[in-house]
Amino acid sequence: MPAYAVIGGQWGDEGKGKIIDYLASQAKIVARYSGGNNAGHTVINNKGKFAFHLIPCGIAWDNVTNVIGNGVVVDPNVLIEEIEKIKKANLPGKILISNKSHVVMPYHIELDRLEELSRGNTSIGTTGRGIGPAYVDKVARSGIRMDEILSPLVLQKKLSEIVENKNKIIQKIYNSTPISIENTTNSIFRWNRELSTYIGDIDKVLDKSLKNNEKIILEGAQGSLLDIDHGTYPYVTSSSPTIGGAITGLGISPSKIKSSIGIYKAYCTRVGSGPFPTEIIGKIGDKIRQEAGEFGTTTGRGRRIGWFDAVAGKFSQKINGFDSIIITRLDTLDTWDEIKVCVKYEFEGKEIENFSINNEILSKCKPIYETFPGWKSSTFGMKKFYDLPTEAKNYLSFIEKTLSSKISLISTGPKREEVIEIDNPIKDS
Ligand code: GDP
Ligand code: IMO
Ligand code: MG
């Protein structure tokens, strides 16, 4: 029965990659269930430093099968590149791609760019990886699934017509240059050669593991506040990073999920547009970004920085039902004089305690903070809770209490072993 969902509790980049690489030694399968190569998951271990976009973060462990679920959209060119990199680095994990996952085609990437341009100053700030347009085609029932790459001749015929139609949109609506039908239809033969051996039926593999009582980590991408339904719409991604997505994105029954685990940074970041009530704008935010190296793993864009938002944090705790939470980047706060946590918002003179899904309201919400003294000493690389400064312990205990969730792990550095284990969240009970 044991499947464990590891989910971002904020706006992404919470350190999911680092934590999943740490936990994966105990697992038989690590499975991605949503998003595509808009994700960038950093892993630093004894094999090197990696940024995974599509391949799950159990890949550095022998005997772990890394599943790309049906809920993921796959850019085959990016996946081929990523597979080459992991082969070069001799990463031993196995890879299996769901035959039901959808393909991000070159026209999706072009449409993502054109749609963003046409949004002007209301642009979402997407990663430009074609993610939204690929999910649009999936839902419109006109997408291409990985299964079709196994029959390139059949797909080639169908694809010419699809590209022709997409080019009409590109030319007539956006007044832009059409994409090459020939290049697009030719690339499917390369995808067939390079990826066929990895494409298959994930249902059987997941089912067998669950029957054998082996552990499966369901790897979240993005973060709960970017969820297409529950996030700060329209400034969201086009999939479901929350617990519901883990179920539909892999075809796992909810009864098989033993626990849902939320990952939160000790502060907040956000990439792209959209409301961010606790954002630290100006020189202080810029300084923190530089010192903490808060730049996107996928696009290199500077991440917006903010204080820990417990109102937003509680909201994701609730929709995902986190059984425990993990706090990352505690060490990043080491030099701060004081540390703030937003406990309520003020909206038009009234205090509100609940996260709002209305962007108009959320962008006018002013944070009400509880302020904590900084600890002004290094926690970097610490492995024992006992060694943490009292101020850090108090800060963590406040977050725990406010989110009504036990902290199971605390990350104190980017490397695999830089973790304080309070209660291993996927241990045998
Ligand atoms: P993900 O998308 O959730 O996997 O997160 P990213 O990899 O995009 O961003 C997290 C960044 O924080 C990466 O650069 C990690 O190497 C780094 N990181 C993760 N945990 C820690 C930590 O505890 N301390 C520090 N200093 N860096 C961390
Ligand atoms: P990981 O898995 C942070 C954001 C983009 C943009 C919005 C929509 O590394 O945490 P999209 O390209 O998905 O249509 O962009 O979502 N976004 C992320 N932000 N981390 C991510 O992934 C993200 N994936 C998408 O910046 O605001
Ligand atoms: Mg990331």
Side-chain angles (χ1 to χ4, degrees):
M1 116 112 168
Y4 302 86
V6 180
I7 296 172
Q10 297 159 322
W11 281 282
D13 302 326
E14 297 90 349
K16 298 175 292 294
K18 182 239 156 104
I19 295 297
I20 288 163
D21 169 63
Y22 173 79
L23 293 173
S25 65
Q26 302 168 72
K28 183 73 183 168
I29 293 179
V30 177
R32 270 277 304 270
Y33 58 82
S34 70
N37 61 308
N38 46 354
H41 296 173
T42 314
V43 164
I44 307 178
N45 56 33
N46 54 345
K47 308 251 167 54
K49 176 175 178 177
F50 308 93
F52 298 120
H53 302 286
L54 282 164
I55 293 185
C57 296
I59 194 73
W61 292 102
D62 213 354
N63 289 324
V64 172
T65 300
N66 292 271
V67 169
I68 297 179
N70 53 277
V72 176
V73 288
V74 179
D75 180 333
N77 292 322
V78 173
L79 184 57
I80 291 168
E81 224 176 87
E82 215 163 312
I83 291 174
E84 274 166 18
K85 278 192 195 141
I86 61 158
K87 277 189 184 157
K88 265 199 196 130
N90 282 322
L91 300 187
K94 291 182 273 302
I95 298 168
L96 177 63
I97 310 159
S98 169
N99 47 14
K100 293 187 276 194
S101 58
H102 277 247
V103 182
V104 178
M105 299 295 294
Y107 48 78
H108 291 137
I109 300 170
E110 181 58 2
L111 285 169
D112 195 0
R113 187 182 74 83
L114 294 168
E115 285 166 11
E116 277 287 85
L117 269 178
S118 78
R119 287 182 188 117
N121 59 11
T122 58
S123 74
I124 294 164
T126 72
T127 57
R129 300 301 190 260
I131 305 300
Y135 280 113
V136 166
D137 275 356
K138 172 179 175 173
V139 176
R141 294 158 296 183
S142 52
I144 292 167
R145 304 211 287 188
M146 288 306 278
D147 187 41
E148 297 180 69
I149 286 178
L150 302 178
S151 315
L153 284 171
V154 181
L155 178 57
Q156 192 182 31
K157 275 198 201 129
K158 169 179 163 181
L159 193 56
S160 317
E161 199 185 320
I162 295 176
V163 181
E164 232 168 77
N165 285 333
K166 295 291 182 189
N167 274 341
K168 282 184 197 153
I169 300 173
I170 290 170
Q171 288 175 287
K172 295 198 174 144
I173 296 184
Y174 295 107
N175 205 12
S176 191
T177 322
I179 66 160
S180 158
I181 297 183
E182 207 189 343
N183 287 352
T184 311
T185 52
N186 282 347
S187 45
I188 54 185
F189 292 92
R190 177 166 167 259
W191 299 345
N192 173 273
R193 262 195 326 275
E194 305 275 347
L195 296 176
S196 287
T197 53
Y198 301 105
I199 301 171
D201 182 356
I202 66 163
D203 306 354
K204 282 186 197 143
V205 175
L206 292 169
D207 198 43
K208 188 171 160 219
S209 245
L210 289 168
K211 283 195 175 122
N212 290 341
N213 225 21
E214 292 161 347
K215 288 178 184 164
I216 302 180
I217 296 176
L218 314 178
E219 174 173 336
Q222 289 78 55
S224 302
L225 305 174
L226 289 171
D227 187 280
I228 184 74
D229 288 290
H230 306 291
T232 49
Y233 191 88
Y235 299 102
V236 291
T237 191
S238 298
S239 67
S240 303
T242 46
I243 188 77
I247 292 158
T248 54
L250 287 163
I252 284 188
S253 154
S255 65
K256 303 288 183 204
I257 297 187
K258 187 164 178 188
S259 72
S260 163
I261 303 151
I263 305 199
Y264 294 82
K265 255 179 212 181
Y267 49 101
C268 271
T269 59
R270 175 166 200 168
V271 195
S273 323
F276 185 5
T278 64
E279 183 167 15
I280 306 168
I281 297 169
K283 279 190 185 148
I284 300 177
D286 294 345
K287 187 165 175 271
I288 297 168
R289 180 178 314 108
Q290 288 300 334
E291 284 177 8
E294 284 287 9
F295 294 90
T297 311
T298 297
T299 58
R301 287 179 293 175
R303 293 173 180 152
R304 298 158 69 192
I305 310 284
W307 298 110
F308 191 92
D309 185 339
V311 180
K314 272 195 279 190
F315 172 75
S316 21
Q317 200 286 342
K318 180 178 66 85
I319 51 176
N320 292 294
F322 292 141
D323 298 290
S324 78
I325 58 171
I326 295 171
I327 302 294
T328 61
R329 300 206 66 146
L330 183 72
D331 56 291
T332 304
L333 301 182
D334 284 350
T335 55
W336 296 8
D337 294 326
E338 54 179 32
I339 296 162
K340 296 183 187 183
V341 177
C342 167
V343 289
K344 284 180 201 164
Y345 300 142
E346 187 211 301
F347 174 68
E348 293 180 344
K350 285 198 194 104
E351 286 189 4
I352 54 173
E353 295 195 16
N354 294 322
F355 194 66
S356 172
I357 58 112
N358 182 318
N359 274 314
E360 283 297 303
I361 295 177
L362 199 58
S363 53
K364 288 185 193 142
C365 279
K366 303 238 173 359
I368 299 174
Y369 289 116
E370 189 94 9
T371 303
F372 294 81
W375 42 93
K376 305 283 279 177
S377 64
S378 175
T379 62
F380 187 75
M382 278 188 181
K383 292 180 187 157
K384 289 190 188 131
F385 186 77
Y386 179 83
D387 290 338
L388 288 177
T390 308
E391 293 86 349
K393 285 181 185 153
N394 290 343
Y395 180 64
L396 292 165
S397 138
F398 184 80
I399 290 179
E400 203 170 50
K401 209 168 70 206
T402 314
L403 265 53
S404 311
S405 243
K406 285 275 165 212
I407 295 175
S408 52
L409 301 177
I410 300 159
S411 175
T412 56
K415 292 191 185 137
R416 181 191 279 168
E417 64 280 5
E418 290 164 341
V419 171
I420 295 173
E421 198 170 294
I422 296 173
D423 184 19
N424 189 308
I426 72 166
K427 72 172 188 302
D428 296 317
S429 49

